[in-house]
Amino acid sequence: MRNIIYWILSAFLTLAIAIVSLRYVTNFWLLSFVYSFQIHLGVLFVAVSLVILAVRRHVYGFILLLASVFLIAHGVVMLREFSEDDRVADAAPIFRLMSFNVAIDNWKNSTAITDMVLASNADVVNLLEAKPLTFHLQQLFKVYPYHIGCDHGKDSCDTLLLSKRPFVTRQVASIGSLRKDRLVISSVDFGGQTVNLVSAHLSKPYFDDYQMGELEDLGKALRSISGPMVLAGDFNSSAIAPSIQGFLREQKLKTIAPEPATWPSGAGALGIAIDHIFARAPLRPTSLKRFEDSLGSNHSGLIAEFALDGGDQSSAAR
């Protein structure tokens, strides 16, 4: 009986490891979201491997254990690939940015979310699925007099970009073919330094291959941008998903690792980071934190500060 249990468990674990390992062969869209959980699944596989070895000590059980450990280790290595170094850790930030997916049906928490935005002391706020804040816009505009989005009532209130300083440039565009107006490109002058700000909201990776098309369009848009740049938003995938990895390498984007887990918000630190704030040199993130209270959203909000290479900016823009 123990032998039967051993081989049944081994067969199921072998299949599961093989599915996750397909990332090394193909970036099949249907499995893209699974790839985002590689580290989590690796931990689960290790636990199952230990159960298998407890049932029967056999060389194949040790092979499964090693394969599971490899998935974890490589997942950690992949996350570190896009980690910013410590060159500007002590530099004074020139601005602070908040990014948060409000959740399209989160009406009952709209007042609390508005209060959180105002208390964040962020210079720029990137809000996605912002429709629940429709009736609080005038309150937000008193502190953030410059905005992009939500100009024509709640039906146009998806991405909302707020700024304490005027926009030098501004553009709203679409990426992919599934949804409209989920890309906002702008720039703001912070004490004589113009910084490009990009907000993006990608589709879920298991919605056919729409996300791949969105990443392609987003890459084209970013290639036309020169100078310091921040990219923030909801990617619906972690940084270790193959499609996101390729995008980050091509665009030379960095963040602070480990990124705070943002989804599902109820899982806290045990979740995964699918909401991101990236930067491209000479701009570098000096801090990246998660808001502990998600205020009814299934995403956690993020706040980051940025400094320039060379440390020629001596104080934060406030």
Side-chain angles (χ1 to χ4, degrees), residues 45 52 70 99 110 126 132 137 174 185 188 202 222 241 252 273 316:
F45 295 164
I52 289 173
F70 170 80
S99 185
S110 59
N126 178 43
L137 293 178
S174 299
I185 302 173
V188 174
L202 304 186
L222 297 192
K252 297 179 173 58

Side-chain angles (χ1 to χ4, degrees), residues 16 19-24 26-43 45 71-72 74-76 78-79 82 202-206 211-212 215 234-246 248 259-264 269-276 278 299:
I19 290 174
V20 176
S21 299
L22 281 174
R23 65 165 298 134
Y24 302 109
T26 179
N27 183 24
F28 182 40
W29 62 266
L30 193 59
L31 295 175
S32 184
F33 199 55
V34 173
Y35 300 151
S36 290
F37 285 92
Q38 178 168 327
I39 296 175
H40 293 68
L41 291 172
V43 172
F45 295 164
L71 290 177
I72 298 173
H74 188 232
V76 172
M78 287 189 290
L79 287 178
F82 306 106
L202 304 186
S203 302
K204 294 176 176 60
Y206 45 84
Q211 191 188 86
M212 297 296 293
L215 285 171
D234 177 6
F235 282 60
N236 274 304
S237 295
S238 79
I240 64 174
S243 55
I244 304 298
Q245 276 197 309
L248 295 178
E259 292 179 275
T262 62
W263 183 90
L270 297 179
I272 62 173
I274 66 172
D275 302 88
H276 305 282
F278 299 113
H299 294 252

Side-chain angles (χ1 to χ4, degrees), residues 191-263:
Q193 176 61 63
T194 299
V195 175
N196 299 290
L197 307 170
V198 182
S199 168
H201 189 179
L202 304 186
S203 302
K204 294 176 176 60
Y206 45 84
F207 283 6
D208 208 322
D209 59 353
Y210 286 109
Q211 191 188 86
M212 297 296 293
E214 291 167 351
L215 285 171
E216 183 177 344
D217 289 348
L218 180 57
K220 291 178 181 177
L222 297 192
R223 284 192 291 272
S224 67
I225 298 174
S226 59
M229 185 187 72
V230 175
L231 170 62
D234 177 6
F235 282 60
N236 274 304
S237 295
S238 79
I240 64 174
S243 55
I244 304 298
Q245 276 197 309
F247 171 78
L248 295 178
R249 290 192 191 107
E250 178 189 2
Q251 299 300 325
K252 297 179 173 58
L253 295 169
K254 297 288 186 179
T255 186
I256 292 180
E259 292 179 275
T262 62
W263 183 90

